[in-house]
Amino acid sequence: LPLKTLSMKYRSRITSIANCFGGGVFFGTCFMHLIPEVKMQINAYVEYMEDKVTAGLAEGEQPPGYLEFLEKLPIPEFLECSGFLLILSIEKIAESAKKIRPLTQRFSVFISTKK
């Protein structure tokens, strides 16, 4: 159905559903592909640092425990949540600015109201 034939209420609902579906696709992509890949890279970095640190240790000396701690931290999930919070904050600030000063007032210089 063309969107022009539907009322504004239904167009808004269809747009909202499409936005939710698109957001779900992005979250699914992130959880299924990007986060495991980032975890693999972090584990590779930790192994590299362990090799580098243990090469400089004397025989029988234990490596520091912070490398194991770094491996257990949920860094990819934290970065994803931080990015989501940042984008949400920017959207809310823009939305509140739009409510304070509507678009027609912001561009009143360019819009002629005289007939």
Side-chain angles (χ1 to χ4, degrees):
L1 290 172
L3 288 179
K4 289 184 179 181
T5 61
L6 300 173
S7 70
M8 186 65 173
K9 177 182 175 183
Y10 292 114
R11 275 189 273 173
S12 176
R13 168 92 28 118
I14 290 172
T15 304
S16 176
I17 291 171
N19 280 336
C20 289
F21 178 76
V25 168
F26 284 126
F27 270 138
T29 301
C30 189
F31 283 123
M32 298 299 286
H33 177 68
L34 296 177
I35 288 180
E37 193 169 313
V38 170
K39 281 186 177 184
M40 285 187 341
Q41 292 295 324
I42 289 174
N43 290 340
Y45 174 74
V46 168
E47 287 177 13
Y48 168 76
M49 289 304 293
E50 281 178 348
D51 292 341
K52 197 172 184 179
V53 168
T54 54
L57 294 177
E59 191 173 322
E61 196 175 354
Q62 293 292 326
Y66 66 86
L67 294 174
E68 291 175 9
F69 179 72
L70 179 65
E71 192 175 29
K72 293 177 184 177
L73 285 177
I75 295 173
E77 292 87 353
F78 175 74
L79 292 175
E80 180 188 4
C81 291
S82 299
F84 179 74
L85 183 63
L86 176 70
I87 296 298
L88 181 65
S89 300
I90 291 171
E91 278 187 12
K92 291 299 179 183
I93 290 170
E95 187 178 314
S96 65
K98 184 178 177 184
K99 286 180 183 176
I100 291 171
R101 190 169 169 206
L103 189 63
T104 54
Q105 289 179 355
R106 284 184 271 168
F107 295 106
S108 61
V109 175
F110 304 112
I111 300 172
S112 174
T113 56
K114 298 178 184 176
K115 291 187 178 186

PDB file of all heavy atoms in Angstrom, residues 1-34:
ATOM      1  N   LEU A   1       0.821  -1.187   0.000  1.00  0.00           N
ATOM      2  CA  LEU A   1       0.000   0.000   0.000  1.00  0.00           C
ATOM      3  C   LEU A   1       0.866   1.252   0.000  1.00  0.00           C
ATOM      4  O   LEU A   1       1.785   1.363   0.805  1.00  0.00           O
ATOM      5  CB  LEU A   1      -0.871   0.032   1.259  1.00  0.00           C
ATOM      6  CG  LEU A   1      -1.993  -0.989   1.370  1.00  0.00           C
ATOM      7  CD1 LEU A   1      -2.585  -0.912   2.746  1.00  0.00           C
ATOM      8  CD2 LEU A   1      -3.021  -0.771   0.323  1.00  0.00           C
ATOM      9  N   PRO A   2       0.565   2.174  -0.858  1.00  0.00           N
ATOM     10  CA  PRO A   2       1.296   3.445  -0.797  1.00  0.00           C
ATOM     11  C   PRO A   2       0.972   4.184   0.496  1.00  0.00           C
ATOM     12  O   PRO A   2      -0.155   4.157   0.983  1.00  0.00           O
ATOM     13  CB  PRO A   2       0.778   4.221  -2.010  1.00  0.00           C
ATOM     14  CG  PRO A   2       0.076   3.229  -2.858  1.00  0.00           C
ATOM     15  CD  PRO A   2      -0.340   2.103  -1.982  1.00  0.00           C
ATOM     16  N   LEU A   3       1.974   4.826   1.042  1.00  0.00           N
ATOM     17  CA  LEU A   3       1.783   5.523   2.317  1.00  0.00           C
ATOM     18  C   LEU A   3       0.865   6.731   2.196  1.00  0.00           C
ATOM     19  O   LEU A   3       0.295   7.181   3.176  1.00  0.00           O
ATOM     20  CB  LEU A   3       3.130   5.947   2.890  1.00  0.00           C
ATOM     21  CG  LEU A   3       4.000   4.821   3.439  1.00  0.00           C
ATOM     22  CD1 LEU A   3       5.316   5.383   3.948  1.00  0.00           C
ATOM     23  CD2 LEU A   3       3.312   4.062   4.538  1.00  0.00           C
ATOM     24  N   LYS A   4       0.689   7.270   0.968  1.00  0.00           N
ATOM     25  CA  LYS A   4      -0.173   8.447   0.805  1.00  0.00           C
ATOM     26  C   LYS A   4      -1.641   8.120   1.034  1.00  0.00           C
ATOM     27  O   LYS A   4      -2.415   8.973   1.412  1.00  0.00           O
ATOM     28  CB  LYS A   4       0.008   9.044  -0.587  1.00  0.00           C
ATOM     29  CG  LYS A   4       1.332   9.726  -0.776  1.00  0.00           C
ATOM     30  CD  LYS A   4       1.432  10.372  -2.127  1.00  0.00           C
ATOM     31  CE  LYS A   4       2.756  11.072  -2.273  1.00  0.00           C
ATOM     32  NZ  LYS A   4       2.892  11.732  -3.562  1.00  0.00           N
ATOM     33  N   THR A   5      -2.038   6.877   0.800  1.00  0.00           N
ATOM     34  CA  THR A   5      -3.439   6.507   0.964  1.00  0.00           C
ATOM     35  C   THR A   5      -3.798   6.241   2.418  1.00  0.00           C
ATOM     36  O   THR A   5      -4.965   6.183   2.752  1.00  0.00           O
ATOM     37  CB  THR A   5      -3.769   5.245   0.132  1.00  0.00           C
ATOM     38  OG1 THR A   5      -2.955   4.170   0.600  1.00  0.00           O
ATOM     39  CG2 THR A   5      -3.522   5.484  -1.337  1.00  0.00           C
ATOM     40  N   LEU A   6      -2.825   6.073   3.273  1.00  0.00           N
ATOM     41  CA  LEU A   6      -3.095   5.797   4.678  1.00  0.00           C
ATOM     42  C   LEU A   6      -3.182   7.094   5.472  1.00  0.00           C
ATOM     43  O   LEU A   6      -2.595   8.109   5.109  1.00  0.00           O
ATOM     44  CB  LEU A   6      -1.987   4.918   5.262  1.00  0.00           C
ATOM     45  CG  LEU A   6      -1.803   3.551   4.605  1.00  0.00           C
ATOM     46  CD1 LEU A   6      -0.578   2.871   5.175  1.00  0.00           C
ATOM     47  CD2 LEU A   6      -3.031   2.686   4.810  1.00  0.00           C
ATOM     48  N   SER A   7      -3.907   7.038   6.568  1.00  0.00           N
ATOM     49  CA  SER A   7      -4.009   8.229   7.410  1.00  0.00           C
ATOM     50  C   SER A   7      -2.678   8.456   8.137  1.00  0.00           C
ATOM     51  O   SER A   7      -1.820   7.586   8.198  1.00  0.00           O
ATOM     52  CB  SER A   7      -5.146   8.063   8.425  1.00  0.00           C
ATOM     53  OG  SER A   7      -4.789   7.100   9.388  1.00  0.00           O
ATOM     54  N   MET A   8      -2.550   9.628   8.707  1.00  0.00           N
ATOM     55  CA  MET A   8      -1.309   9.998   9.397  1.00  0.00           C
ATOM     56  C   MET A   8      -1.029   9.066  10.573  1.00  0.00           C
ATOM     57  O   MET A   8       0.115   8.720  10.834  1.00  0.00           O
ATOM     58  CB  MET A   8      -1.421  11.453   9.879  1.00  0.00           C
ATOM     59  CG  MET A   8      -0.176  11.982  10.468  1.00  0.00           C
ATOM     60  SD  MET A   8       1.085  12.043   9.189  1.00  0.00           S
ATOM     61  CE  MET A   8       2.353  12.872  10.061  1.00  0.00           C
ATOM     62  N   LYS A   9      -2.077   8.618  11.265  1.00  0.00           N
ATOM     63  CA  LYS A   9      -1.918   7.731  12.409  1.00  0.00           C
ATOM     64  C   LYS A   9      -1.280   6.417  11.979  1.00  0.00           C
ATOM     65  O   LYS A   9      -0.349   5.927  12.620  1.00  0.00           O
ATOM     66  CB  LYS A   9      -3.277   7.479  13.046  1.00  0.00           C
ATOM     67  CG  LYS A   9      -3.256   6.525  14.207  1.00  0.00           C
ATOM     68  CD  LYS A   9      -4.667   6.309  14.732  1.00  0.00           C
ATOM     69  CE  LYS A   9      -4.674   5.261  15.824  1.00  0.00           C
ATOM     70  NZ  LYS A   9      -6.023   4.982  16.295  1.00  0.00           N
ATOM     71  N   TYR A  10      -1.755   5.852  10.875  1.00  0.00           N
ATOM     72  CA  TYR A  10      -1.221   4.576  10.418  1.00  0.00           C
ATOM     73  C   TYR A  10       0.165   4.724   9.806  1.00  0.00           C
ATOM     74  O   TYR A  10       1.000   3.852   9.928  1.00  0.00           O
ATOM     75  CB  TYR A  10      -2.191   3.912   9.435  1.00  0.00           C
ATOM     76  CG  TYR A  10      -3.471   3.481  10.115  1.00  0.00           C
ATOM     77  CD1 TYR A  10      -4.674   4.067   9.795  1.00  0.00           C
ATOM     78  CD2 TYR A  10      -3.443   2.507  11.096  1.00  0.00           C
ATOM     79  CE1 TYR A  10      -5.839   3.683  10.430  1.00  0.00           C
ATOM     80  CE2 TYR A  10      -4.599   2.114  11.744  1.00  0.00           C
ATOM     81  CZ  TYR A  10      -5.802   2.704  11.398  1.00  0.00           C
ATOM     82  OH  TYR A  10      -6.937   2.321  12.040  1.00  0.00           O
ATOM     83  N   ARG A  11       0.412   5.847   9.127  1.00  0.00           N
ATOM     84  CA  ARG A  11       1.766   6.088   8.596  1.00  0.00           C
ATOM     85  C   ARG A  11       2.775   6.173   9.718  1.00  0.00           C
ATOM     86  O   ARG A  11       3.879   5.644   9.623  1.00  0.00           O
ATOM     87  CB  ARG A  11       1.796   7.384   7.772  1.00  0.00           C
ATOM     88  CG  ARG A  11       1.384   7.186   6.340  1.00  0.00           C
ATOM     89  CD  ARG A  11       1.662   8.430   5.574  1.00  0.00           C
ATOM     90  NE  ARG A  11       0.487   9.291   5.726  1.00  0.00           N
ATOM     91  CZ  ARG A  11       0.393  10.523   5.305  1.00  0.00           C
ATOM     92  NH1 ARG A  11       1.423  11.094   4.708  1.00  0.00           N
ATOM     93  NH2 ARG A  11      -0.693  11.226   5.452  1.00  0.00           N
ATOM     94  N   SER A  12       2.391   6.841  10.788  1.00  0.00           N
ATOM     95  CA  SER A  12       3.282   6.962  11.944  1.00  0.00           C
ATOM     96  C   SER A  12       3.536   5.591  12.561  1.00  0.00           C
ATOM     97  O   SER A  12       4.669   5.275  12.940  1.00  0.00           O
ATOM     98  CB  SER A  12       2.652   7.900  12.966  1.00  0.00           C
ATOM     99  OG  SER A  12       3.430   7.959  14.120  1.00  0.00           O
ATOM    100  N   ARG A  13       2.500   4.779  12.650  1.00  0.00           N
ATOM    101  CA  ARG A  13       2.645   3.432  13.221  1.00  0.00           C
ATOM    102  C   ARG A  13       3.548   2.573  12.336  1.00  0.00           C
ATOM    103  O   ARG A  13       4.423   1.869  12.820  1.00  0.00           O
ATOM    104  CB  ARG A  13       1.259   2.795  13.367  1.00  0.00           C
ATOM    105  CG  ARG A  13       1.231   1.338  13.671  1.00  0.00           C
ATOM    106  CD  ARG A  13       1.179   0.930  15.121  1.00  0.00           C
ATOM    107  NE  ARG A  13       0.581   1.805  16.058  1.00  0.00           N
ATOM    108  CZ  ARG A  13      -0.478   1.512  16.779  1.00  0.00           C
ATOM    109  NH1 ARG A  13      -1.094   0.373  16.607  1.00  0.00           N
ATOM    110  NH2 ARG A  13      -0.910   2.345  17.680  1.00  0.00           N
ATOM    111  N   ILE A  14       3.381   2.629  11.025  1.00  0.00           N
ATOM    112  CA  ILE A  14       4.205   1.847  10.093  1.00  0.00           C
ATOM    113  C   ILE A  14       5.667   2.291  10.178  1.00  0.00           C
ATOM    114  O   ILE A  14       6.576   1.466  10.213  1.00  0.00           O
ATOM    115  CB  ILE A  14       3.660   1.949   8.653  1.00  0.00           C
ATOM    116  CG1 ILE A  14       2.334   1.193   8.551  1.00  0.00           C
ATOM    117  CG2 ILE A  14       4.666   1.407   7.646  1.00  0.00           C
ATOM    118  CD1 ILE A  14       1.616   1.389   7.239  1.00  0.00           C
ATOM    119  N   THR A  15       5.878   3.600  10.232  1.00  0.00           N
ATOM    120  CA  THR A  15       7.245   4.114  10.353  1.00  0.00           C
ATOM    121  C   THR A  15       7.879   3.671  11.664  1.00  0.00           C
ATOM    122  O   THR A  15       9.050   3.288  11.698  1.00  0.00           O
ATOM    123  CB  THR A  15       7.237   5.654  10.266  1.00  0.00           C
ATOM    124  OG1 THR A  15       6.600   6.041   9.051  1.00  0.00           O
ATOM    125  CG2 THR A  15       8.636   6.215  10.295  1.00  0.00           C
ATOM    126  N   SER A  16       7.112   3.689  12.735  1.00  0.00           N
ATOM    127  CA  SER A  16       7.627   3.254  14.035  1.00  0.00           C
ATOM    128  C   SER A  16       8.000   1.774  14.010  1.00  0.00           C
ATOM    129  O   SER A  16       9.062   1.388  14.514  1.00  0.00           O
ATOM    130  CB  SER A  16       6.584   3.519  15.113  1.00  0.00           C
ATOM    131  OG  SER A  16       7.011   3.039  16.345  1.00  0.00           O
ATOM    132  N   ILE A  17       7.161   0.946  13.423  1.00  0.00           N
ATOM    133  CA  ILE A  17       7.452  -0.484  13.327  1.00  0.00           C
ATOM    134  C   ILE A  17       8.692  -0.724  12.479  1.00  0.00           C
ATOM    135  O   ILE A  17       9.550  -1.541  12.819  1.00  0.00           O
ATOM    136  CB  ILE A  17       6.228  -1.246  12.780  1.00  0.00           C
ATOM    137  CG1 ILE A  17       5.110  -1.244  13.819  1.00  0.00           C
ATOM    138  CG2 ILE A  17       6.597  -2.678  12.390  1.00  0.00           C
ATOM    139  CD1 ILE A  17       3.785  -1.771  13.318  1.00  0.00           C
ATOM    140  N   ALA A  18       8.821   0.009  11.372  1.00  0.00           N
ATOM    141  CA  ALA A  18      10.004  -0.140  10.513  1.00  0.00           C
ATOM    142  C   ALA A  18      11.273   0.281  11.251  1.00  0.00           C
ATOM    143  O   ALA A  18      12.320  -0.362  11.125  1.00  0.00           O
ATOM    144  CB  ALA A  18       9.833   0.683   9.241  1.00  0.00           C
ATOM    145  N   ASN A  19      11.189   1.346  12.054  1.00  0.00           N
ATOM    146  CA  ASN A  19      12.345   1.781  12.841  1.00  0.00           C
ATOM    147  C   ASN A  19      12.729   0.739  13.887  1.00  0.00           C
ATOM    148  O   ASN A  19      13.911   0.475  14.106  1.00  0.00           O
ATOM    149  CB  ASN A  19      12.066   3.115  13.526  1.00  0.00           C
ATOM    150  CG  ASN A  19      12.231   4.278  12.599  1.00  0.00           C
ATOM    151  OD1 ASN A  19      12.936   4.201  11.608  1.00  0.00           O
ATOM    152  ND2 ASN A  19      11.556   5.372  12.912  1.00  0.00           N
ATOM    153  N   CYS A  20      11.740   0.155  14.533  1.00  0.00           N
ATOM    154  CA  CYS A  20      12.020  -0.894  15.528  1.00  0.00           C
ATOM    155  C   CYS A  20      12.663  -2.104  14.863  1.00  0.00           C
ATOM    156  O   CYS A  20      13.605  -2.695  15.404  1.00  0.00           O
ATOM    157  CB  CYS A  20      10.740  -1.309  16.238  1.00  0.00           C
ATOM    158  SG  CYS A  20      10.104  -0.057  17.351  1.00  0.00           S
ATOM    159  N   PHE A  21      12.182  -2.484  13.693  1.00  0.00           N
ATOM    160  CA  PHE A  21      12.755  -3.611  12.976  1.00  0.00           C
ATOM    161  C   PHE A  21      14.212  -3.314  12.592  1.00  0.00           C
ATOM    162  O   PHE A  21      15.099  -4.151  12.782  1.00  0.00           O
ATOM    163  CB  PHE A  21      11.945  -3.921  11.715  1.00  0.00           C
ATOM    164  CG  PHE A  21      12.502  -5.042  10.907  1.00  0.00           C
ATOM    165  CD1 PHE A  21      12.346  -6.346  11.312  1.00  0.00           C
ATOM    166  CD2 PHE A  21      13.209  -4.782   9.743  1.00  0.00           C
ATOM    167  CE1 PHE A  21      12.874  -7.391  10.565  1.00  0.00           C
ATOM    168  CE2 PHE A  21      13.743  -5.807   8.990  1.00  0.00           C
ATOM    169  CZ  PHE A  21      13.577  -7.115   9.411  1.00  0.00           C
ATOM    170  N   GLY A  22      14.468  -2.107  12.092  1.00  0.00           N
ATOM    171  CA  GLY A  22      15.836  -1.721  11.729  1.00  0.00           C
ATOM    172  C   GLY A  22      16.766  -1.713  12.930  1.00  0.00           C
ATOM    173  O   GLY A  22      17.908  -2.173  12.858  1.00  0.00           O
ATOM    174  N   GLY A  23      16.280  -1.214  14.068  1.00  0.00           N
ATOM    175  CA  GLY A  23      17.088  -1.235  15.284  1.00  0.00           C
ATOM    176  C   GLY A  23      17.386  -2.646  15.730  1.00  0.00           C
ATOM    177  O   GLY A  23      18.488  -2.963  16.178  1.00  0.00           O
ATOM    178  N   GLY A  24      16.395  -3.540  15.601  1.00  0.00           N
ATOM    179  CA  GLY A  24      16.606  -4.937  15.955  1.00  0.00           C
ATOM    180  C   GLY A  24      17.637  -5.610  15.069  1.00  0.00           C
ATOM    181  O   GLY A  24      18.438  -6.423  15.532  1.00  0.00           O
ATOM    182  N   VAL A  25      17.632  -5.254  13.793  1.00  0.00           N
ATOM    183  CA  VAL A  25      18.629  -5.809  12.867  1.00  0.00           C
ATOM    184  C   VAL A  25      20.031  -5.358  13.277  1.00  0.00           C
ATOM    185  O   VAL A  25      20.971  -6.161  13.310  1.00  0.00           O
ATOM    186  CB  VAL A  25      18.318  -5.398  11.415  1.00  0.00           C
ATOM    187  CG1 VAL A  25      19.484  -5.707  10.489  1.00  0.00           C
ATOM    188  CG2 VAL A  25      17.060  -6.094  10.921  1.00  0.00           C
ATOM    189  N   PHE A  26      20.179  -4.081  13.621  1.00  0.00           N
ATOM    190  CA  PHE A  26      21.487  -3.584  14.048  1.00  0.00           C
ATOM    191  C   PHE A  26      21.947  -4.238  15.349  1.00  0.00           C
ATOM    192  O   PHE A  26      23.112  -4.618  15.478  1.00  0.00           O
ATOM    193  CB  PHE A  26      21.476  -2.069  14.206  1.00  0.00           C
ATOM    194  CG  PHE A  26      21.523  -1.343  12.905  1.00  0.00           C
ATOM    195  CD1 PHE A  26      20.568  -0.394  12.592  1.00  0.00           C
ATOM    196  CD2 PHE A  26      22.515  -1.598  11.972  1.00  0.00           C
ATOM    197  CE1 PHE A  26      20.606   0.281  11.391  1.00  0.00           C
ATOM    198  CE2 PHE A  26      22.564  -0.939  10.774  1.00  0.00           C
ATOM    199  CZ  PHE A  26      21.600   0.010  10.478  1.00  0.00           C
ATOM    200  N   PHE A  27      21.039  -4.368  16.323  1.00  0.00           N
ATOM    201  CA  PHE A  27      21.409  -5.032  17.575  1.00  0.00           C
ATOM    202  C   PHE A  27      21.762  -6.490  17.342  1.00  0.00           C
ATOM    203  O   PHE A  27      22.712  -7.015  17.921  1.00  0.00           O
ATOM    204  CB  PHE A  27      20.276  -4.940  18.600  1.00  0.00           C
ATOM    205  CG  PHE A  27      20.353  -3.728  19.475  1.00  0.00           C
ATOM    206  CD1 PHE A  27      19.210  -3.023  19.779  1.00  0.00           C
ATOM    207  CD2 PHE A  27      21.550  -3.298  20.009  1.00  0.00           C
ATOM    208  CE1 PHE A  27      19.264  -1.899  20.591  1.00  0.00           C
ATOM    209  CE2 PHE A  27      21.624  -2.185  20.817  1.00  0.00           C
ATOM    210  CZ  PHE A  27      20.471  -1.494  21.098  1.00  0.00           C
ATOM    211  N   GLY A  28      20.981  -7.169  16.507  1.00  0.00           N
ATOM    212  CA  GLY A  28      21.273  -8.569  16.198  1.00  0.00           C
ATOM    213  C   GLY A  28      22.620  -8.735  15.537  1.00  0.00           C
ATOM    214  O   GLY A  28      23.397  -9.640  15.880  1.00  0.00           O
ATOM    215  N   THR A  29      22.935  -7.850  14.597  1.00  0.00           N
ATOM    216  CA  THR A  29      24.240  -7.883  13.938  1.00  0.00           C
ATOM    217  C   THR A  29      25.355  -7.672  14.952  1.00  0.00           C
ATOM    218  O   THR A  29      26.368  -8.364  14.936  1.00  0.00           O
ATOM    219  CB  THR A  29      24.316  -6.803  12.844  1.00  0.00           C
ATOM    220  OG1 THR A  29      23.278  -7.046  11.901  1.00  0.00           O
ATOM    221  CG2 THR A  29      25.650  -6.817  12.154  1.00  0.00           C
ATOM    222  N   CYS A  30      25.134  -6.742  15.841  1.00  0.00           N
ATOM    223  CA  CYS A  30      26.157  -6.448  16.851  1.00  0.00           C
ATOM    224  C   CYS A  30      26.383  -7.629  17.770  1.00  0.00           C
ATOM    225  O   CYS A  30      27.520  -8.029  18.014  1.00  0.00           O
ATOM    226  CB  CYS A  30      25.742  -5.218  17.640  1.00  0.00           C
ATOM    227  SG  CYS A  30      27.018  -4.618  18.725  1.00  0.00           S
ATOM    228  N   PHE A  31      25.307  -8.202  18.275  1.00  0.00           N
ATOM    229  CA  PHE A  31      25.456  -9.312  19.213  1.00  0.00           C
ATOM    230  C   PHE A  31      25.976 -10.575  18.541  1.00  0.00           C
ATOM    231  O   PHE A  31      26.755 -11.311  19.123  1.00  0.00           O
ATOM    232  CB  PHE A  31      24.130  -9.623  19.911  1.00  0.00           C
ATOM    233  CG  PHE A  31      23.803  -8.651  21.002  1.00  0.00           C
ATOM    234  CD1 PHE A  31      22.623  -7.936  20.977  1.00  0.00           C
ATOM    235  CD2 PHE A  31      24.672  -8.447  22.057  1.00  0.00           C
ATOM    236  CE1 PHE A  31      22.310  -7.038  21.985  1.00  0.00           C
ATOM    237  CE2 PHE A  31      24.376  -7.552  23.072  1.00  0.00           C
ATOM    238  CZ  PHE A  31      23.190  -6.853  23.027  1.00  0.00           C
ATOM    239  N   MET A  32      25.543 -10.837  17.332  1.00  0.00           N
ATOM    240  CA  MET A  32      25.897 -12.099  16.682  1.00  0.00           C
ATOM    241  C   MET A  32      27.266 -12.061  15.992  1.00  0.00           C
ATOM    242  O   MET A  32      27.893 -13.090  15.807  1.00  0.00           O
ATOM    243  CB  MET A  32      24.829 -12.482  15.654  1.00  0.00           C
ATOM    244  CG  MET A  32      23.471 -12.709  16.258  1.00  0.00           C
ATOM    245  SD  MET A  32      23.449 -14.044  17.446  1.00  0.00           S
ATOM    246  CE  MET A  32      23.556 -15.433  16.379  1.00  0.00           C
ATOM    247  N   HIS A  33      27.715 -10.886  15.593  1.00  0.00           N
ATOM    248  CA  HIS A  33      28.951 -10.833  14.814  1.00  0.00           C
ATOM    249  C   HIS A  33      30.036  -9.970  15.455  1.00  0.00           C
ATOM    250  O   HIS A  33      31.158 -10.419  15.647  1.00  0.00           O
ATOM    251  CB  HIS A  33      28.647 -10.319  13.406  1.00  0.00           C
ATOM    252  CG  HIS A  33      29.868 -10.163  12.556  1.00  0.00           C
ATOM    253  ND1 HIS A  33      30.603 -11.238  12.125  1.00  0.00           N
ATOM    254  CD2 HIS A  33      30.502  -9.069  12.091  1.00  0.00           C
ATOM    255  CE1 HIS A  33      31.630 -10.802  11.413  1.00  0.00           C
ATOM    256  NE2 HIS A  33      31.583  -9.482  11.388  1.00  0.00           N
ATOM    257  N   LEU A  34      29.716  -8.742  15.759  1.00  0.00           N
ATOM    258  CA  LEU A  34      30.752  -7.798  16.179  1.00  0.00           C
ATOM    259  C   LEU A  34      31.305  -8.086  17.570  1.00  0.00           C
ATOM    260  O   LEU A  34      32.517  -8.043  17.776  1.00  0.00           O
ATOM    261  CB  LEU A  34      30.210  -6.370  16.118  1.00  0.00           C
ATOM    262  CG  LEU A  34      29.833  -5.882  14.721  1.00  0.00           C
ATOM    263  CD1 LEU A  34      29.236  -4.491  14.802  1.00  0.00           C
ATOM    264  CD2 LEU A  34      31.020  -5.892  13.795  1.00  0.00           C
TER     265      LEU A  34
END
